Amino acid sequence: MNVQEITSVGEIDTFIQNNRFSMLYVSQEDCNVCHAIYPKLKELLSNFPEIKLAHVDARRVGEVAGKFLIFTVPTIIMFLDQKEYLREGRFVQFEQLERKLQQLHNVI
């Protein structure tokens, strides 16, 4: 899976605009939960190639927290046509996330 590393808020905006189905994974380097969830998320998204994934380190791009009202990491935000479609924070329920992505996939 190809993951775009984001280093600025401007890059986030461009990423969301350029991809109909875009997902942001916001984490921090010193977050153990973040490191555990990231490989599972990439594996899950391998079943949904239309969804493009970008990774944002909240410490390097501090503005991301204010722009998207992120209070904890990891946070996953999925955008559909530049509008927030779903959000998962801290402890991600992968079964539920997969169901939601499958429902979206079936509708399209």
Side-chain angles (χ1 to χ4, degrees), residues 11-76:
E11 285 182 31
I12 294 171
D13 293 336
T14 301
F15 175 77
I16 293 169
Q17 290 169 3
N18 290 341
N19 297 289
R20 181 170 185 220
F21 306 102
S22 53
M23 184 177 283
L24 292 181
Y25 182 69
V26 183
S27 68
Q28 290 181 351
E29 193 173 313
D30 60 349
C31 168
N32 290 330
V33 175
C34 299
H35 292 295
I37 288 177
Y38 194 39
K40 292 179 185 179
L41 179 63
K42 291 193 290 187
E43 181 181 333
L44 173 62
L45 290 182
S46 68
N47 298 318
F48 301 96
E50 65 277 0
I51 300 173
K52 305 305 178 199
L53 179 63
H55 174 252
V56 182
D57 184 322
R59 296 218 188 220
R60 292 187 185 148
V61 186
E63 303 87 11
V64 72
K67 181 173 179 70
F68 294 105
L69 300 175
I70 296 172
F71 300 107
T72 186
V73 291
T75 296
I76 298 169

Side-chain angles (χ1 to χ4, degrees), residues 61-101:
V61 186
E63 303 87 11
V64 72
K67 181 173 179 70
F68 294 105
L69 300 175
I70 296 172
F71 300 107
T72 186
V73 291
T75 296
I76 298 169
I77 308 173
M78 167 89 179
F79 296 90
L80 172 60
D81 293 326
Q82 301 180 38
K83 295 190 178 12
E84 186 173 323
Y85 175 74
L86 69 85
R87 178 184 291 243
E88 295 285 331
R90 193 66 180 154
F91 299 108
V92 178
Q93 301 296 319
F94 277 93
E95 297 82 19
Q96 289 178 330
L97 179 58
E98 184 173 15
R99 265 196 306 278
K100 290 176 185 176
L101 295 179

